[in-house]
Amino acid sequence: MMDLSTEITLLLAFCTSFIILILGFKTVWKSSNLPPGPTPLPVLGNILQLRRGELVESLLELSKKYGEVYTIYLGSRATVVFTGYKTVKEILVDRGEEFLGRGEISSFDTHYRNYGLAFTNDMNRWRELRRFSVTALRDLGMGKRSFEDKIQEELMFLVEALKNTKESIINPHQHVNRGTGNIIALIMFGHRYDYEDEDLNTFLTSIQECFKLASAAWGQAYEMFPRIMRFLPGGHQKMLSLMGSLLKFVEKKVLMNKNSLDANNLRDYVDIFLIKMEQEKNDPKTEYHMTNLVCSTLQLYFAGVETITDTLIYSFLILMKYPDILDKVHKEIDKVIGQNRQPKLQDRNQMPYTEAVIHEIQRYIDLLPMSVPRKTTQEVKFRGYIIPKDTNVLAMLGSVLKDPSCFPYPKEFNPQNFLSENGEFKKNDAFIPLSAGRYLL
């Protein structure tokens, strides 16, 4: 056993080393000329300032103390946070190229491994896949009347499914999620599923669960300490397992498309990608290979399904809470569309109140309160501070949607936020529920 003097010596050595580490970390932190923020701990960063499972709320509270631009450490990773309309617009729109890099999202990066359209920090890969995807989706009818008809058809299946519940107690999320999932399936795989299809329901449930786990305390801990948490038990392990299963499901579907591919009858996004793979199979540097196809397909599914479903569910809840607003929407629908035909996209131009309500729902629910993390593509000088190249940045979209300088009723649900004095629909540049600028994906 150690004698008392030895134990005291070791204790003093440990305490001295710890103090030196803290002081040294603070010195490096302060000398970096990053925007100010709460003092971080070595390795742990600002974990003490972030409430468990309430990352967004914690970040917004810190902005009240440190201003619209501040630095926080998620573990040992410095992240600059931007809040308010003018600040967020500057980095996403006015100076978008300087903040264009993809930030780190450990929850997804573990499986995507820098491949695919949405979660890669390889800018050449991103630009190539983005260009291809935009063209492919347009070729498939996105934004055209032909695809509007497909959406209308799926809505009829959804309405029929709801009617079949025969006024029983249901969870509408399940039904709406299937309808949304089928619309994305038409784009990606060229066909829809029956609403009771086991593969469809397992796939959609897994996506929903991934979102929940990534937003919860376990997901937050994994984002901050991925190298450690990877080996520890917890809810994040289920999230990682689900991500692996989702990629395997998509790969299986892609292979089915490959086996039935007809170059003269391209059915969907996967088919178009497979043709591109064949055309560039002899190019060793091509971005058109199976890994990018599988990852891009799942990423587009993630981007579309849960966001649309949750927006519709919140819409139901809000209109139930405000029956007077629902009544006005109903009257405008009866006036413009009537009850004898399906609505069309061009009807929006004659329905200013309904258009304002749809925008206000998206603003009020604040579905994506912060943008997907980005990185600086170069050293950036911003309001007297210097942000090094490859620094993670977060744009707090919710702070823009609730900015009192942009909306007359920022904290309440009120369609007047998007209506002029004459009752006409009024656009608002601060309406960025999914992000802003040229580079949304």
Side-chain angles (χ1 to χ4, degrees):
M1 294 181 63
M2 292 184 292
D3 56 32
L4 182 60
S5 61
T6 302
E7 291 179 352
I8 293 175
T9 300
L10 289 174
L11 179 60
L12 288 173
F14 174 79
C15 292
T16 302
S17 299
F18 188 70
I19 291 171
I20 291 173
L21 183 61
I22 291 177
L23 292 176
F25 190 79
K26 288 178 68 176
T27 300
V28 172
W29 171 64
K30 290 182 178 179
S31 65
S32 65
N33 202 27
L34 283 166
T39 303
L41 294 173
V43 182
L44 298 178
N46 293 115
I47 190 172
L48 299 180
Q49 286 79 30
L50 302 175
R51 296 195 302 274
R52 182 181 179 185
E54 297 181 2
L55 178 61
V56 172
E57 293 82 357
S58 300
L59 293 177
L60 290 175
E61 285 184 11
L62 288 170
S63 72
K64 296 176 182 178
K65 181 177 181 180
Y66 295 101
E68 291 186 342
V69 184
Y70 69 91
T71 303
I72 193 164
Y73 281 78
L74 303 177
S76 58
R77 185 173 66 222
T79 301
V80 181
V81 182
F82 298 85
T83 62
Y85 169 64
K86 290 183 179 180
T87 306
V88 171
K89 177 179 178 291
E90 186 170 352
I91 69 164
L92 295 183
V93 181
D94 302 337
R95 302 174 65 177
E97 288 286 346
E98 298 173 65
F99 297 88
L100 184 57
R102 287 302 180 188
E104 299 170 27
I105 307 180
S106 300
S107 305
F108 296 140
D109 293 345
T110 300
H111 282 286
Y112 288 138
R113 297 176 291 112
N114 205 30
Y115 288 104
L117 167 65
F119 295 99
T120 177
N121 54 30
D122 184 324
M123 298 310 297
N124 291 329
R125 174 176 297 153
W126 174 79
R127 283 190 172 92
E128 178 63 26
L129 293 178
R130 180 181 183 274
R131 180 199 60 76
F132 166 82
S133 296
V134 169
T135 301
L137 293 175
R138 285 175 179 167
D139 290 344
L140 291 168
M142 290 289 289
K144 299 178 181 178
R145 179 61 189 271
S146 58
F147 199 78
E148 184 179 344
D149 292 339
K150 293 179 181 179
I151 295 175
Q152 295 279 18
E153 183 180 359
E154 186 59 43
L155 285 173
M156 297 303 294
F157 284 109
L158 176 57
V159 170
E160 187 64 25
L162 291 171
K163 285 182 178 179
N164 289 337
T165 61
K166 301 185 184 302
E167 300 182 0
S168 60
I169 297 175
I170 63 168
N171 179 357
H173 188 280
Q174 296 175 351
H175 295 278
V176 175
N177 209 27
R178 292 164 184 168
T180 304
N182 266 333
I183 291 172
I184 307 298
L186 282 170
I187 300 170
M188 307 312 296
F189 304 129
H191 66 87
R192 67 179 302 279
Y193 294 84
D194 183 82
Y195 280 11
E196 302 305 318
D197 185 274
E198 185 176 351
D199 285 343
L200 172 67
N201 290 318
T202 300
F203 184 64
L204 296 177
T205 300
S206 296
I207 290 178
Q208 181 186 8
E209 192 68 15
C210 276
F211 270 112
K212 287 183 178 180
L213 292 170
S215 303
W218 284 113
Q220 182 176 313
Y222 187 77
E223 286 300 322
M224 297 177 70
F225 314 106
R227 295 179 182 177
I228 298 174
M229 295 299 294
R230 192 174 301 169
F231 302 101
L232 298 179
H236 60 292
Q237 296 293 354
K238 182 178 180 182
M239 174 183 65
L240 296 177
S241 176
L242 286 172
M243 280 296 301
S245 298
L246 287 168
L247 283 168
K248 289 180 181 178
F249 175 84
V250 172
E251 183 177 12
K252 177 183 175 182
K253 296 295 298 181
V254 166
L255 291 175
M256 290 174 62
N257 267 48
K258 185 177 181 180
N259 292 332
S260 59
L261 181 64
D262 180 356
N264 296 316
N265 182 27
L266 299 182
R267 301 160 293 187
D268 47 51
Y269 178 90
V270 171
D271 278 3
I272 298 174
F273 202 109
L274 288 169
I275 292 296
K276 191 70 172 178
M277 283 173 56
E278 179 64 23
Q279 292 171 349
E280 299 197 4
K281 64 181 179 181
N282 295 322
D283 182 357
K285 296 182 179 180
T286 183
E287 294 296 347
Y288 298 96
H289 49 73
M290 187 61 69
T291 302
N292 269 336
L293 171 53
V294 172
C295 290
S296 295
T297 301
L298 181 56
Q299 289 163 11
L300 287 169
Y301 235 109
F302 261 97
V305 173
E306 203 63 24
T307 51
I308 297 173
T309 298
D310 286 348
T311 298
L312 289 172
I313 295 302
Y314 277 117
S315 300
F316 296 156
L317 293 172
I318 287 173
L319 293 175
M320 288 172 63
K321 184 177 180 179
Y322 298 97
D324 55 326
I325 293 176
L326 174 60
D327 184 58
K328 292 180 181 179
V329 171
H330 201 172
K331 288 180 179 177
E332 190 171 64
I333 291 173
D334 285 343
K335 177 182 177 181
V336 176
I337 301 174
Q339 300 181 7
N340 298 318
R341 70 171 176 86
Q342 295 289 334
K344 299 176 182 179
L345 193 59
Q346 58 263 38
D347 291 328
R348 295 172 60 183
N349 299 327
Q350 304 175 57
M351 304 173 70
Y353 189 79
T354 302
E355 183 82 341
V357 169
I358 292 172
H359 278 69
E360 179 65 358
I361 287 172
Q362 291 181 277
R363 185 200 71 84
Y364 183 74
I365 66 176
D366 190 11
L367 192 63
L368 298 178
M370 60 184 181
S371 67
V372 173
R374 297 196 178 192
K375 274 187 179 180
T376 49
T377 56
Q378 61 192 61
E379 182 179 274
V380 176
K381 293 182 180 179
F382 192 91
R383 300 186 182 179
Y385 303 108
I386 295 178
I387 306 174
K389 181 183 178 182
D390 292 329
T391 299
N392 267 26
V393 298
L394 282 176
M396 303 302 292
L397 304 180
S399 70
V400 179
L401 296 177
K402 301 294 193 300
D403 193 325
S405 68
C406 301
F407 297 98
Y409 308 97
K411 294 184 178 180
E412 63 180 87
F413 181 79
N414 192 329
Q416 293 299 321
N417 281 313
F418 293 95
L419 289 171
S420 68
E421 294 180 357
N422 298 325
E424 298 175 349
F425 175 72
K426 180 176 61 177
K427 292 184 179 180
N428 192 317
D429 291 339
F431 178 70
I432 52 171
L434 302 177
S435 195
R438 295 168 56 195
Y439 311 103
L440 294 182
L441 263 183

